[in-house]
Amino acid sequence: MTDKSTGLTDMTVGSPLKHIIKFSIPLLIGNIFQQCYNIADSIIVGNTIGTDAQAAVNNGMPIFFLVTALFIGLGMGATIILSQNYGAKEMETVRKTIQTIYTFVMLISIPLTLLGILITPFLMRLLGVPDSTMEMAVTYITITFIGLIGSLGYNFNAGILQGLGDSKTPLLFVGISTVINIALDLLFIIVFGWGIAGVAVATVIAQAFSWLYGVWFIRRRYPELELNIFRFGVDKEILVKIIKVGLPSGIQHSLFSLGMLSMQNLINQGGPAFIAGFGNANRIDAFVFLPVFSFANALTTFTGQNIGAKQIERVSHGLKATLFLALIVFAVIAFLTLAFGRHLLGLFNPDQDVIDYGMRYLFSVIPFSFLIIIQFMFNSVMRGAGQAMVPVFTTIAGFIAIRIPAAYIIGFYFGLDYIFFSYPIGWVVSLTAATLFFAAGKWKQKSLVISQGKEIGEEVEVDISTIEFEAATGENGYKDD
């Protein structure tokens, strides 16, 4: 049910499937815009500057993600707390959470920017970046770090609204950013001839504008949220809760980025064409997964609100509906991607070696991706419920402990052409771990609701035995209409 006075969605009543689809569509369109944003960079760079420049961008992004990963996780923690407290109708806590996370972001952005700029050259050398791309890679990532505040603010605006059930407004933000980025790419690269620096400057300007516009829009559209980036204030109890919930996710993102750096080191051994082929195929793969990401994000918000409202049965209904929907949609898109893969890769770079390397990635990864889809859905439920350590463990088990070593072993014995089979090998382990944790059912006992009728930070106890009884007997009044 959508509150027409605010535009926010209450997912604790009504059909789970309808909520997932309705919430996912704007997310999907926004994600498509986001990928168009990235794809436009790759296409323009590959066709105007060249393969070395594409390799430079592909080497730069894992470093940017490494430095920001921890804080992306904290933002996710805030989103989960927002969704659960909105589900419990604790609006005062919602407002305090928004003010706390925004204050934290504003204070941390400058030291984080300086850290990123300082460690970039060292990490580039550690990655074994080819000499032909080193200077361009350092230029690209340094400029990108200068615009870090815009990137963080832009993403936190979207996270706040998604946690409260509004997936349409973030679509506007990403649409604006995408249009500005593409226009500035063409202006700075083709007209001004700024090369790789032009790509980075375009990204920084686009995200900064979208962030500031987003702040203005949220203040105007949702005055009850009281968003003010110039008003600093941290509720210590809420900040502790955000860190408690978000830190595991931040660690997960950090471990993932470290794994990507390790993988990039192996990729770099194949030379610029191999690096570009891998990066271009990665962008196509990410595009294929957009519906899955959207469904998973919707399921996290759905779970958070219903856990906050003590509606355990609805979470199970939502999981089944989302998983079925995700697998069907992915199967159709994956088939079309493999059938037309060479044409799609050719849009990024006409070099046949680059295309061949990209196709090897796609055929090694996409047919097995149903494994990671199931894992995503289990993790989305547990993350939305507040059991944030589970995705961290599954990441360590499947990605760090299995996939990366497998890639190096496969590369050593069979050659770099076959290293992408390490992906499904890792997914089998990750899915097994996620399934065991989900089946254990501890996620049902999580609640992060902070009641304003009590001291801030005091958790509301949830009588799980009562909830499970209601779920089993159908006495909670829920009907899948």
Side-chain angles (χ1 to χ4, degrees):
M1 180 180 69
T2 301
D3 185 341
K4 293 183 179 180
S5 66
T6 64
L8 306 180
T9 301
D10 183 354
M11 297 187 178
T12 62
V13 294
S15 167
L17 180 59
K18 289 180 181 178
H19 277 308
I20 295 297
I21 293 175
K22 185 177 180 180
F23 192 79
S24 296
I25 289 175
L27 285 178
L28 176 58
I29 297 173
N31 285 333
I32 289 174
F33 272 120
Q34 184 67 56
Q35 286 304 313
C36 287
Y37 186 112
N38 297 327
I39 287 171
D41 279 352
S42 293
I43 291 176
I44 294 171
V45 169
N47 286 277
T48 59
I49 308 177
T51 300
D52 285 343
Q54 274 194 328
V57 173
N58 292 337
N59 273 297
M61 290 317 297
I63 294 176
F64 184 80
F65 189 64
L66 172 64
V67 176
T68 60
L70 188 62
F71 302 95
I72 292 173
L74 293 178
M76 186 173 294
T79 298
I80 293 169
I81 291 174
L82 285 170
S83 67
Q84 290 201 17
N85 282 280
Y86 180 70
K89 308 301 185 289
E90 294 285 351
M91 289 305 296
E92 181 62 24
T93 301
V94 167
R95 286 188 283 269
K96 289 185 177 181
T97 301
I98 291 172
Q99 180 179 339
T100 295
I101 191 61
Y102 238 109
T103 299
F104 185 75
V105 169
M106 296 295 286
L107 293 177
I108 201 65
S109 60
I110 294 178
L112 203 59
T113 295
L114 296 175
L115 174 64
I117 293 173
L118 290 174
I119 68 172
T120 289
F122 168 75
L123 290 177
M124 288 292 180
R125 289 191 292 271
L126 192 64
L127 282 176
V129 175
D131 292 339
S132 60
T133 68
M134 175 67 78
E135 183 178 351
M136 286 188 289
V138 172
T139 298
Y140 175 81
I141 198 64
T142 298
I143 295 174
T144 303
F145 271 120
I146 292 173
L148 177 63
I149 180 61
S151 177
L152 291 178
Y154 159 85
N155 283 288
F156 276 117
N157 283 347
I160 288 168
L161 292 173
Q162 288 171 13
L164 302 180
D166 181 359
S167 60
K168 295 179 181 179
T169 303
L171 172 60
L172 174 64
F173 302 158
V174 74
I176 291 172
S177 182
T178 300
V179 171
I180 293 175
N181 183 68
I182 293 174
L184 293 181
D185 270 346
L186 296 172
L187 177 66
F188 294 158
I189 297 173
I190 297 177
V191 179
F192 292 173
W194 288 359
I196 198 71
V199 180
V201 172
T203 297
V204 167
I205 293 175
Q207 290 188 341
F209 182 87
S210 184
W211 164 50
L212 295 174
Y213 175 79
V215 171
W216 174 84
F217 188 93
I218 292 172
R219 285 174 53 81
R220 185 168 179 262
R221 178 76 175 271
Y222 304 112
E224 67 276 12
L225 298 181
E226 299 180 5
L227 173 60
N228 186 344
I229 63 175
F230 299 109
R231 184 179 62 198
F232 297 99
V234 174
D235 186 296
K236 294 181 181 179
E237 297 292 343
I238 292 178
L239 180 59
V240 169
K241 187 73 67 175
I242 290 173
I243 293 173
K244 181 180 177 181
V245 178
L247 188 59
S249 182
I251 294 172
Q252 177 195 356
H253 281 84
S254 297
L255 290 172
F256 181 82
S257 61
L258 285 172
M260 286 304 299
L261 287 174
S262 181
M263 192 67 149
Q264 192 66 46
N265 179 268
L266 186 61
I267 297 293
N268 286 341
Q269 296 177 22
F274 193 79
I275 299 169
F278 168 72
N280 295 341
N282 242 311
R283 280 171 168 73
I284 292 176
D285 186 31
F287 204 91
V288 172
F289 260 84
L290 290 183
V292 176
F293 292 143
S294 301
F295 296 147
N297 286 336
L299 184 58
T300 296
T301 298
F302 178 87
T303 299
Q305 288 196 16
N306 282 282
I307 288 289
K310 306 180 184 180
Q311 299 266 23
I312 301 296
E313 182 190 15
R314 285 180 60 80
V315 177
S316 297
H317 279 272
L319 170 63
K320 293 174 183 177
T322 307
L323 183 56
F324 175 78
L325 190 63
L327 289 172
I328 293 298
V329 172
F330 178 80
V332 174
I333 298 175
F335 173 79
L336 295 174
T337 300
L338 294 177
F340 298 99
R342 297 194 69 88
H343 300 285
L344 295 173
L345 288 165
L347 295 174
F348 292 90
N349 194 313
D351 188 310
Q352 289 302 308
D353 287 338
V354 174
I355 294 174
D356 288 342
Y357 289 132
M359 287 303 297
R360 288 170 190 169
Y361 172 93
L362 294 178
F363 272 99
S364 300
V365 172
I366 287 183
F368 304 98
S369 294
F370 69 93
L371 297 168
I372 194 67
I373 292 174
I374 299 173
Q375 180 198 336
F376 274 2
M377 298 310 159
F378 285 161
N379 282 346
S380 291
V381 169
M382 290 183 283
R383 185 180 289 114
Q387 196 174 16
M389 279 303 297
V390 172
V392 176
F393 179 82
T394 57
T395 297
I396 294 173
F399 186 50
I400 304 298
I402 303 298
R403 187 201 299 182
I404 300 302
Y408 276 85
I409 292 171
I410 292 171
F412 181 79
Y413 285 104
F414 302 100
L416 293 178
D417 290 352
Y418 299 95
I419 62 174
F420 304 122
F421 284 110
S422 62
Y423 282 67
I425 293 173
W427 290 340
V428 170
V429 175
S430 295
L431 176 57
T432 300
T435 302
L436 292 174
F437 275 106
F438 181 83
K442 290 185 178 180
W443 58 270
K444 297 178 183 179
Q445 303 174 36
K446 294 287 184 178
S447 178
L448 301 170
V449 174
I450 304 174
S451 175
Q452 291 302 304
K454 301 183 178 185
E455 292 297 321
I456 296 298
E458 182 179 353
E459 294 187 24
V460 175
E461 294 295 329
V462 179
D463 187 347
I464 297 301
S465 61
T466 302
I467 295 171
E468 290 180 340
F469 174 77
E470 290 175 348
T473 58
E475 295 179 12
N476 63 353
Y478 161 69
K479 291 183 181 180
D480 186 359
D481 55 359

